[in-house]
Amino acid sequence: MRSLAVIFWTGFLSCFVMLCLVFPVSGIVAPDFGTAPQQATGTLHVDGSPVGMEITLDGRVAGQVPDSGVLVIDNVPTGQHDVLASFTGYESQEMVVNVPDSLPAEIRIDLSRQMAGSLDISSSPTNVQIYVNDLYKGITPAVIEVPAGDHLVLMRLAGYQDWSAQVAVTGGETTALSGTLIPVSGAPVSTPSGGPSLIVTVLLVVAGCVIAYSQRAGR
């Protein structure tokens, strides 16, 4: 009986010790690794021109302005964001926008054309006079800086018909233009020098015949 009592009290004390040590430790609050509360989001409407301009939001491309003229960007975290609009041939524009969690944020961006572009002009034949909007600019080949927009280019050379074209120049870009001039009907066209012309050859033959005949008649 005594051994049973010893075993009983030994087991009881062991359980008591475990309860005293384990429960206080298990009562410590563990970190909450559950799902964090979702951040509020809103919507950004970008209205502007030109159509097709690229919109970057906080350094990431958000899309391009469609034909409707309005780009809708959903699920934008509320708060301030950096917006960059860019398009080839136009000056980029940057702004800061605040996106609320209730109403859509609306901004308008109208890009301005870059101030100047270039014309890379060549021709056949070369050394042709160049006129841009009736102003003399030099001879071909040449690279000419002009304002962005439409320009009338005229190429002129004596003995050839004038060549002209309307060309659109985009700011910040080089537009290549090449023209072939046609000789004017009846105008002499220079040929590569490879020997005497046909007329000179005929005259030399006739002169030789006359001299030979005169020498024979003198005998």
Side-chain angles (χ1 to χ4, degrees):
M1 295 294 295
R2 185 176 179 180
S3 60
L4 292 176
V6 172
I7 295 173
F8 172 79
W9 285 109
T10 301
F12 176 79
L13 290 174
S14 299
C15 292
F16 179 77
V17 172
M18 290 293 294
L19 291 174
C20 292
L21 294 177
V22 173
F23 277 129
V25 173
S26 62
I28 298 175
V29 179
D32 183 9
F33 294 104
T35 304
Q38 293 184 351
Q39 183 178 1
T41 60
T43 303
L44 176 61
H45 293 183
V46 181
D47 179 16
S49 63
V51 170
M53 68 177 174
E54 186 176 80
I55 303 299
T56 302
L57 186 65
D58 297 331
R60 295 184 178 181
V61 177
Q64 296 178 335
V65 175
D67 293 336
S68 63
V70 180
L71 173 65
V72 179
I73 308 174
D74 295 317
N75 300 321
V76 180
T78 57
Q80 289 189 343
H81 299 275
D82 294 325
V83 178
L84 174 66
S86 60
F87 192 75
T88 302
Y90 288 75
E91 298 286 349
S92 299
Q93 186 174 336
E94 188 174 5
M95 65 172 56
V96 177
V97 59
N98 184 48
V99 177
D101 60 356
S102 54
L103 298 176
E106 298 181 355
I107 59 174
R108 180 173 181 84
I109 302 177
D110 294 304
L111 300 184
S112 301
R113 286 184 176 272
Q114 291 181 342
M115 296 304 297
S118 299
L119 279 171
D120 186 356
I121 303 177
S122 60
S123 67
S124 177
T126 56
N127 298 324
V128 173
Q129 295 179 345
I130 303 171
Y131 294 85
V132 179
N133 301 328
D134 295 327
L135 297 177
Y136 177 72
K137 295 295 184 178
I139 60 174
T140 59
V143 176
I144 304 170
E145 184 175 299
V146 295
D150 295 334
H151 299 276
L152 177 63
V153 178
L154 171 69
M155 289 190 276
R156 176 172 294 167
L157 181 64
Y160 290 81
Q161 298 178 16
D162 289 348
W163 186 96
S164 63
Q166 190 83 17
V167 59
V169 176
T170 302
E173 295 186 357
T174 298
T175 302
L177 183 66
S178 180
T180 300
L181 279 67
I182 301 174
V184 177
S185 178
V189 179
S190 60
T191 57
S193 57
S197 64
L198 178 61
I199 297 177
V200 174
T201 302
V202 172
L203 291 177
L204 291 174
V205 172
V206 172
C209 292
V210 171
I211 293 174
Y213 178 77
S214 299
Q215 292 178 349
R216 179 174 295 182
R219 294 178 185 176

